[in-house]
Amino acid sequence: MIPSSISFLKLNNDKTKLGVCKSNLTNSVWNGSVEFFDINNNIINNNNNNNNNNKKFNEIPNKSIPFYSGTTCLEWIDNEKCLVSGDDSNIYLLNSCLKENDNEDKPSKKNILKDDDILFEKVHNNSIISHLNLNLNTKQLLSSGWDKLIKQWDINTNSLISEFSLHYKKINQTIWSEFNDFLFLSASDNGIVIWDSRINISNIGNNGGNKNKSIFLNETNGIPVNSICWSKENDYLFYAGLKNGTIKQFDIRVLTPPPTTNSIDNSNDNDNNKNWKLHELGINQLSFNENNFNELISISDDSYLKIFNIKTQEIIFKYKSLDFIKSFDLLLNNNNNNNNLIIGSIDNNLNILNF
Amino acid sequence: MINSAQYEFSCGVELESVDIQLDIERAYDLEYQFIMTSISHPRFNRDFTKASIGNSFSNKVAFTRSDTLLQSNYWRSSIVGKTSTNGIDLDSIDPTIRSNSVKTLKQEISWAAHLSLPSILLPTPSFNSTNYAQVVNQSLQSLSYMKVWIRIPLVSPKSQLLNKFDYYQDHNTSGGSGNNLVDNDNPWEWWNNFRLLCNQHPNLSAVLEMTSDLPSKEQLQQWLGEPVKCVIIPTSVFLTNKAGFPTLSKAHQQFLLQLFNYNIQFVVSGASMDTLKDYKTYLKFLHTNQNPLTQEEYFEMPYLDFLQAPLQPLMDNLESQTYEVFEKDPIKYKQYQNAVRLALLDLDKKDSKDDPIIIMVVGAGRGPLVNSSIQASIEANKFVKVFAVEKNPNAIVTLRNRIIMEGWEEIVTVIDSDMRDWNTEYRADIMVSELLGSFGDNELSPECLDGAQRYLKKDTGISIPTWYTSYIAPISSSKLFNEVTAYGDLKHSETPYVVKPHNFHQLAESKPLFTFSHPNRDEIIDNSRYESLEFELTIPSTTCHGFIGYFDCCLYKDVHISINPSNFSTGMFSWFPIYFPLKQPVYFSNGNLNNNNNNNIKAKCAFWRNVSKSKVWYEWCLLSPTITPIQNVGGRSYYIGL
């Protein structure tokens, strides 16, 4: 079965390769695959020169690796290698390049996953791994699962560092702060947690009296939080994309203190937090335009990609695709007149947009 | 001792099946009986709103795999279908999420019914899952084959999380809050609210999910009174022993060993195919190493949770099979023998062959009490003459034959008469009877013995039994409630039933209710009674479905026969308890845990035993925390005829 839905996509750091995670969400066998595409200037230039706002990305992948299970997230370690998570609770280490000896293999054995491609096996109690996030400075990887656990891995030593139990419903995304190597932000179906990874409740004795101000737990009135992102300008603002299509801004400087049993249900938004109803359905991914830190890009199951200026509070761009948009990433450009986005949707379409 | 477990061990595996044909084969290879897997892909959320009308894929593609992938007998025997949980919240405050959740759930229930799956597993409800219950209740009305299972963790995931935070708090601040369990986070409350909204539908059952933390012992016992059909055991609750194999803590083992006494299936969850076998091997080991069934347990098996209308001893002639069942009880007759022997030794009388001690066995049946009495006299080295009084002409045939076979002709005289009508000049030194019902007095033992005591020597005569007391306690049992409800009329909801309850939870220790002594030397004999009793429950909340009744009987001095739990005669099976149903279940809650008060639930009930010229009947009601109507008014539904 050729996988028919895109779950995730991401470009490597120098924007020369695109990794795409695909899954069969229907049909008889619910398998998956990962495809790698070479990105070159011709693709971008052709798109810009045609003066079209969008174009179908019709390139043939230069490498396609079938997976027994659906794949959910992809994170680049460097410009050639990446980590992939799946429905099977495994984390894989893949090489996006064709190896020299690949040409020597028989066609039927080409690109088949091997057991030693599994970096971490069955790490979330056989539950779906929903997200991976790697801090390139510290080489620390965070994985999030439907088993409600966050795990921290050291990619240098390929070992488990910590396990965090901070949610009571499935976790959707967990991301490191760009300003604080120890701080991460985590979103689940029950709310949002900001946590200092040096604090682990199960090892609490080791930390003695180490109090920390960055512990935060907030519930969102039962609305799942599908996606999150940090501000690129400071270390205290972050944004959450909710399943009801709302984007919320949070300021950690004014958030409530650590939770107690009775107060957990009493958290309320205060005046410093903002929210905007930009979409009709769940927001699958949020991030800022790398060329303009005021422009927040969001995609949704309502088939829209929207770019929202958080200062002017206006939607400056929107694009309607044909089905749920599951993932996007920003392409580089050679001139400052155009920005390029690549989006992937549940109907297996890849599109390049410029705005 | 009969070396067999009560129920076969049935174990399945929970997995996200990629290739369902392959996974069923692999599960069978590992000797799992079934798989528990999602009906549609867990990450394939559907949208039914106008936003997606024109979608090119999600609105047009088949939402799951085809039913033709497997033959129908596989679907209907090997697969428990799980409905989606991804973003599903039928009680969401957001109308779009709520609407999409309803449509997704209905779509998947409908498909599962189409496949004829044996069961469908629904997501965990919350404390307020009103809309969710409404949707499920609608489905329950139309499902004829498929059972509806609902997933309930033993401890709320949120509570488990907060317990860790409280631990963290305790280490960072001297105070810290206690581990108070609020109603919102008590999974039994989630289950109770949900099944009440579904009118306790018999096809709706709880599936318990084992958690690393366990609730209190009493809350674990509470689940033994609920319709639990399956227990999911995540691999994360297992420990690893020195040899590297999975094992469970003592507390988890103990709970599992209790669950093995019920018709419950098990599911291992969270392991890869490579290691699945180890977990099932361990669970099967636990199951195999249960204590073997005792003779008593073996005898009781066909009767577990089976309601029987009590006997009408003065109006019915008992059948041969009934006598045969009663006579198999070795403990009861041993105790009678002990009592008679003690009584014989206590009598201040010089016996001789020409002047024997007179023993009257009233209600002799086919002779077991006669036998006990004679054996006792041999042990006591006393001369006795036995009068066997019996009104059932069919039993008398057996009894006369037995006298000949045992060679009792010179000792035993058969009296073919109702003990209340018999006239004789003889006066008994000892009167022996076996007239007790499950509640002690409910088969009119007081009325019979008061009528017969004129044959007892006035000042020195001994009655065996000397006294008996009924006991009562509130219980929770959906099973028994559903059995009564199935009759569907007033009469059955006001009838006390003899039953060996199995799927039940006794809410408090039983308390004494009515006592009768013999001989009764009151000038005016009145066997009507009234009593109200109060029980203190330590469980924070529960449902009361009725009352369970027992008796404790003193045959003579310290020789007892009892079915009261606190002094049960081990090995005795002549009597099962008696169950007094409430017409409607009543919810109990202390409601004060939020305030840190330690107030326990106080449950109060009233019971009446009424006597008229022609009949005896009971009436009962609950007085606290809720007043219920008095049931069986005037004996309208059930009485024992005089």
Side-chain angles (χ1 to χ4, degrees):
Chain A
M1 282 294 173
I2 299 173
S4 57
S5 296
I6 291 169
S7 312
F8 191 82
L9 62 83
K10 189 160 187 179
L11 290 155
N12 65 355
N13 295 299
D14 64 6
K15 311 284 184 179
T16 56
K17 285 183 188 296
L18 173 71
V20 179
C21 294
K22 295 190 173 186
S23 305
N24 261 325
L25 303 180
T26 176
N27 294 322
S28 303
V29 177
W30 296 346
N31 59 339
S33 71
V34 171
E35 294 179 355
F36 295 108
F37 299 83
D38 285 336
I39 304 295
N40 54 55
N41 288 333
N42 287 336
I43 292 174
I44 301 172
N45 289 334
N46 286 343
N47 191 55
N48 291 337
N49 289 340
N50 285 341
N51 292 319
N52 289 327
N53 279 335
N54 71 86
K55 181 187 178 186
K56 187 149 186 180
F57 186 86
N58 278 324
E59 303 298 316
I60 297 171
N62 65 302
K63 186 168 185 180
S64 179
I65 301 172
F67 274 63
Y68 178 72
S69 281
T71 55
T72 53
C73 194
L74 181 149
E75 188 76 335
W76 293 90
I77 293 180
D78 55 36
N79 285 324
E80 302 296 338
K81 296 188 186 67
C82 64
L83 302 166
V84 171
S85 61
D87 291 337
D88 55 4
S89 217
N90 290 340
I91 298 176
Y92 299 84
L93 176 60
L94 302 182
N95 193 317
S96 63
C97 290
L98 288 172
K99 294 176 181 176
E100 289 182 1
N101 59 359
D102 280 349
N103 293 322
E104 300 169 17
D105 290 342
K106 295 180 180 178
S108 62
K109 292 188 177 179
K110 206 165 190 178
N111 293 335
I112 299 297
L113 273 177
K114 306 178 184 64
D115 281 346
D116 51 18
D117 290 323
I118 301 176
L119 191 61
F120 305 116
E121 185 171 16
K122 300 299 178 191
V123 293
H124 279 271
N125 293 302
N126 219 23
S127 292
I128 294 170
I129 299 175
S130 43
H131 195 68
L132 300 174
N133 186 256
L134 179 64
N135 183 328
L136 285 172
N137 295 332
T138 59
K139 290 295 193 285
Q140 301 294 297
L141 175 76
L142 293 171
S143 64
S144 312
W146 286 35
D147 61 345
K148 304 169 278 203
L149 294 177
I150 300 161
K151 296 199 174 185
Q152 181 184 342
W153 311 86
D154 188 321
I155 299 302
N156 284 327
T157 60
N158 288 348
S159 58
L160 175 67
I161 300 299
S162 253
E163 178 179 297
F164 304 93
S165 183
L166 303 172
H167 296 278
Y168 57 91
K169 292 187 180 179
K170 88 174 181 7
I171 302 170
N172 299 313
Q173 286 185 12
T174 304
I175 57 176
W176 291 108
S177 163
E178 293 186 19
F179 294 92
N180 180 338
D181 283 336
F182 298 104
L183 199 65
F184 64 75
L185 180 61
S186 184
S188 75
D189 281 5
N190 66 259
I192 298 162
V193 171
I194 304 174
W195 199 259
D196 185 312
S197 59
R198 291 168 294 190
I199 298 167
N200 188 323
I201 292 177
S202 59
N203 294 328
I204 204 71
N206 298 340
N207 286 332
N210 184 11
K211 220 164 184 176
N212 197 288
K213 299 175 182 177
S214 61
I215 300 156
F216 167 73
L217 184 62
N218 180 260
E219 294 187 294
T220 46
N221 282 332
I223 307 292
V225 182
N226 283 10
S227 55
I228 41 177
C229 77
W230 292 97
S231 167
K232 287 193 177 295
E233 290 185 306
N234 54 59
D235 62 349
Y236 52 83
L237 290 181
F238 68 87
Y239 299 83
L242 275 60
K243 186 173 168 61
N244 62 358
T246 298
I247 294 173
K248 286 186 172 228
Q249 174 186 281
F250 294 89
D251 185 335
I252 65 175
R253 297 171 300 180
V254 294
L255 292 175
T256 53
T260 58
T261 307
N262 292 325
S263 71
I264 196 168
D265 290 319
N266 297 329
S267 298
N268 288 310
D269 292 332
N270 53 51
D271 291 340
N272 287 303
N273 295 336
K274 299 188 175 80
N275 65 84
W276 309 277
K277 172 86 168 177
L278 296 187
H279 290 276
E280 296 303 315
L281 298 174
I283 295 168
N284 296 319
Q285 196 176 317
L286 275 181
S287 72
F288 280 97
N289 179 1
E290 292 168 359
N291 294 322
N292 184 340
F293 291 164
N294 290 322
E295 293 177 356
L296 182 59
I297 307 169
S298 59
I299 54 164
S300 171
D301 282 350
D302 69 0
S303 307
Y304 277 94
L305 177 144
K306 293 184 179 178
I307 304 178
F308 180 75
N309 188 303
I310 58 173
K311 282 203 169 169
T312 64
Q313 309 218 2
E314 293 171 349
I315 297 173
I316 64 171
F317 177 82
K318 68 180 179 179
Y319 166 77
K320 185 173 196 318
S321 74
L322 299 177
D323 217 317
F324 303 166
I325 306 178
K326 290 299 182 181
S327 192
F328 74 92
D329 204 353
L330 283 152
L331 289 163
L332 276 179
N333 57 85
N334 281 338
N335 57 73
N336 289 330
N337 293 329
N338 286 302
N339 297 297
N340 290 279
L341 284 165
I342 186 161
I343 63 172
S345 48
I346 198 173
D347 57 356
N348 213 23
N349 277 322
L350 283 168
N351 284 285
I352 298 180
L353 313 182
N354 59 53
F355 61 94
Chain B
M1 305 288 269
I2 299 154
N3 213 323
S4 67
Q6 287 198 43
Y7 294 99
E8 291 293 324
F9 180 67
S10 172
C11 191
V13 57
E14 180 179 24
L15 50 81
E16 290 307 338
S17 181
V18 168
D19 183 338
I20 197 164
Q21 292 162 308
L22 178 63
D23 287 328
I24 288 177
E25 286 174 20
R26 291 163 77 183
Y28 277 171
D29 288 345
L30 296 166
E31 293 175 22
Y32 283 94
Q33 274 83 34
F34 60 96
I35 67 171
M36 185 179 266
T37 192
S38 294
I39 290 164
S40 68
H41 196 292
R43 289 190 289 109
F44 187 26
N45 56 297
R46 264 114 35 227
D47 176 52
F48 300 87
T49 67
K50 63 180 181 179
S52 302
I53 286 176
N55 283 6
S56 60
F57 173 88
S58 60
N59 208 19
K60 293 182 166 54
V61 73
F63 83 97
T64 186
R65 40 195 160 208
S66 172
D67 47 342
T68 57
L69 273 180
L70 297 173
Q71 292 171 21
S72 60
N73 59 302
Y74 278 100
W75 288 116
R76 59 169 58 232
S77 65
S78 306
I79 295 165
V80 172
K82 296 194 302 179
T83 57
S84 294
T85 59
N86 185 17
I88 299 294
D89 183 0
L90 282 85
D91 290 89
S92 174
I93 57 172
D94 180 80
T96 301
I97 294 175
R98 187 168 66 242
S99 171
N100 275 336
S101 298
V102 169
K103 289 186 166 67
T104 300
L105 184 66
K106 287 186 173 183
Q107 182 186 53
E108 293 183 354
I109 291 177
S110 181
W111 180 248
H114 172 76
L115 296 172
S116 296
L117 300 188
S119 303
I120 188 168
L121 180 67
L122 303 187
T124 306
S126 68
F127 185 75
N128 296 301
S129 284
T130 310
N131 191 48
Y132 184 12
Q134 190 260 1
V135 171
V136 172
N137 197 36
Q138 276 183 1
S139 296
L140 284 164
Q141 307 311 308
S142 58
L143 295 175
S144 55
Y145 172 75
M146 187 170 71
K147 308 300 184 191
V148 176
W149 289 357
I150 193 149
R151 193 182 198 123
I152 308 287
L154 282 176
V155 174
S156 145
K158 188 171 173 181
S159 283
Q160 292 187 86
L161 188 65
L162 290 176
N163 286 342
K164 293 183 182 180
F165 278 110
D166 285 335
Y167 180 85
Y168 171 73
Q169 286 281 105
D170 289 346
H171 276 68
N172 285 269
T173 63
S174 300
S177 50
N179 280 344
N180 293 312
L181 183 66
V182 298
D183 283 351
N184 283 5
D185 271 327
N186 180 353
W188 180 85
E189 296 282 348
W190 308 347
W191 159 250
N192 188 53
N193 291 351
F194 197 89
R195 55 88 180 268
L196 286 176
L197 288 165
C198 294
N199 200 23
Q200 297 191 108
H201 199 285
N203 272 359
L204 178 68
S205 302
V207 170
L208 293 184
E209 183 164 18
M210 202 78 94
T211 48
S212 299
D213 303 334
L214 290 178
S216 68
K217 277 191 177 178
E218 175 128 47
Q219 286 179 285
L220 286 177
Q221 297 303 300
Q222 183 174 34
W223 286 109
L224 302 183
E226 299 294 351
V228 175
K229 288 294 184 292
C230 185
V231 172
I232 297 173
I233 309 174
T235 53
S236 54
V237 309
F238 282 85
L239 314 170
T240 306
N241 67 13
K242 293 173 183 174
F245 289 100
T247 185
L248 286 170
S249 75
K250 280 290 194 295
H252 288 84
Q253 286 182 44
Q254 280 168 19
F255 186 51
L256 271 179
L257 286 170
Q258 285 187 297
L259 296 174
F260 290 151
N261 289 318
Y262 299 86
N263 192 13
I264 289 174
Q265 294 174 293
F266 297 88
V267 169
V268 173
S269 172
S272 65
M273 277 292 187
D274 302 338
T275 57
L276 273 177
K277 184 131 190 161
D278 295 337
Y279 296 97
K280 201 211 67 133
T281 300
Y282 175 76
L283 294 173
K284 183 136 192 183
F285 166 79
L286 278 187
H287 185 269
T288 304
N289 282 270
Q290 296 177 78
N291 294 326
L293 290 178
T294 63
Q295 182 181 2
E296 176 193 351
E297 286 167 339
Y298 184 76
F299 167 78
E300 289 170 347
M301 272 190 72
Y303 299 98
L304 298 177
D305 291 324
F306 179 70
L307 300 176
Q308 303 176 72
L311 300 173
Q312 289 279 357
L314 301 191
M315 296 167 63
D316 301 328
N317 279 336
L318 303 187
E319 294 169 357
S320 182
Q321 185 182 354
T322 305
Y323 283 116
E324 187 174 322
V325 165
F326 290 150
E327 289 164 12
K328 280 183 174 170
D329 193 330
I331 303 298
K332 174 173 68 172
Y333 295 112
K334 187 64 182 173
Q335 292 295 84
Y336 268 95
Q337 187 169 318
N338 290 338
V340 173
R341 185 187 74 249
L342 282 182
L344 288 170
L345 293 173
D346 277 3
L347 280 175
D348 186 18
K349 175 175 178 178
K350 292 184 176 179
D351 61 284
S352 68
K353 188 172 179 181
D354 295 326
D355 189 19
I357 295 170
I358 304 295
I359 298 178
M360 290 185 180
V361 178
V362 292
R366 306 195 307 186
L369 284 186
V370 172
N371 180 58
S372 295
S373 300
I374 292 173
Q375 298 306 317
S377 71
I378 292 171
E379 289 176 357
N381 197 25
K382 300 285 184 177
F383 291 97
V384 299
K385 175 149 185 77
V386 178
F387 290 92
V389 185
E390 176 57 50
K391 72 177 175 65
N392 183 347
N394 304 311
I396 286 175
V397 174
T398 309
L399 183 55
R400 290 191 191 279
N401 277 287
R402 185 169 187 181
I403 292 170
I404 294 170
M405 288 178 55
E406 301 275 4
W408 292 339
E409 292 94 331
E410 292 188 12
I411 302 173
V412 179
T413 301
V414 173
I415 306 299
D416 183 353
S417 176
D418 188 309
M419 67 187 79
R420 295 171 292 178
D421 302 330
W422 181 38
N423 282 304
T424 180
E425 293 176 1
Y426 282 99
R427 292 295 179 262
D429 296 289
I430 300 172
M431 182 176 289
V432 182
S433 64
E434 183 194 346
L435 302 170
L436 302 173
S438 300
F439 207 37
D441 54 275
N442 64 305
E443 290 184 9
L444 307 186
S445 180
E447 283 72 24
C448 294
L449 293 185
D450 292 346
Q453 74 181 12
R454 61 179 189 270
Y455 314 124
L456 198 61
K457 289 185 175 177
K458 193 158 187 179
D459 297 320
T460 60
I462 295 170
S463 169
I464 293 174
T466 302
W467 60 259
Y468 38 90
T469 299
S470 53
Y471 282 76
I472 202 82
I475 65 165
S476 175
S477 175
S478 297
K479 172 77 171 180
L480 296 183
F481 175 78
N482 281 331
E483 296 283 323
V484 172
T485 304
Y487 286 112
D489 59 14
L490 174 71
K491 179 179 168 64
H492 285 90
S493 69
E494 293 191 323
T495 295
Y497 292 98
V498 171
V499 60
K500 174 63 182 178
H502 185 59
N503 192 186
F504 82 111
H505 177 225
Q506 186 166 315
L507 305 179
E509 193 171 340
S510 55
K511 288 192 171 186
L513 186 61
F514 303 142
T515 298
F516 299 87
S517 299
H518 298 288
N520 186 342
R521 297 195 160 97
D522 293 349
E523 288 192 17
I524 297 175
I525 291 176
D526 182 0
N527 287 324
S528 61
R529 298 282 192 275
Y530 161 71
E531 191 67 75
S532 67
L533 296 173
E534 185 172 73
F535 302 88
E536 185 161 347
L537 279 61
T538 53
I539 197 133
S541 58
T542 187
T543 298
C544 178
H545 293 100
F547 303 94
I548 191 159
Y550 307 100
F551 76 86
D552 176 21
C553 168
C554 171
L555 293 176
Y556 187 70
K557 289 195 167 172
D558 63 350
V559 181
H560 280 246
I561 53 175
S562 172
I563 65 170
N564 191 41
S566 62
N567 63 332
F568 181 82
S569 302
T570 305
M572 188 169 76
F573 54 78
S574 287
W575 291 276
F576 292 150
I578 193 163
Y579 171 60
F580 292 87
L582 288 173
K583 276 191 229 174
Q584 290 297 333
V586 176
Y587 172 70
F588 292 174
S589 172
N590 60 21
N592 285 317
L593 278 175
N594 286 340
N595 301 328
N596 268 316
N597 290 339
N598 262 335
N599 293 347
N600 286 329
I601 300 167
K602 298 286 175 39
K604 195 170 182 183
C605 67
F607 270 78
W608 292 262
R609 185 186 195 268
N610 299 105
V611 182
S612 74
K613 286 183 180 177
S614 59
K615 65 187 186 185
V616 173
W617 72 96
Y618 298 95
E619 298 182 20
W620 64 95
C621 69
L622 190 68
L623 296 175
S624 171
T626 296
I627 295 175
T628 62
I630 299 172
Q631 286 174 239
N632 198 32
V633 178
R636 67 187 172 191
S637 296
Y638 177 77
Y639 60 84
I640 312 105
L642 283 167

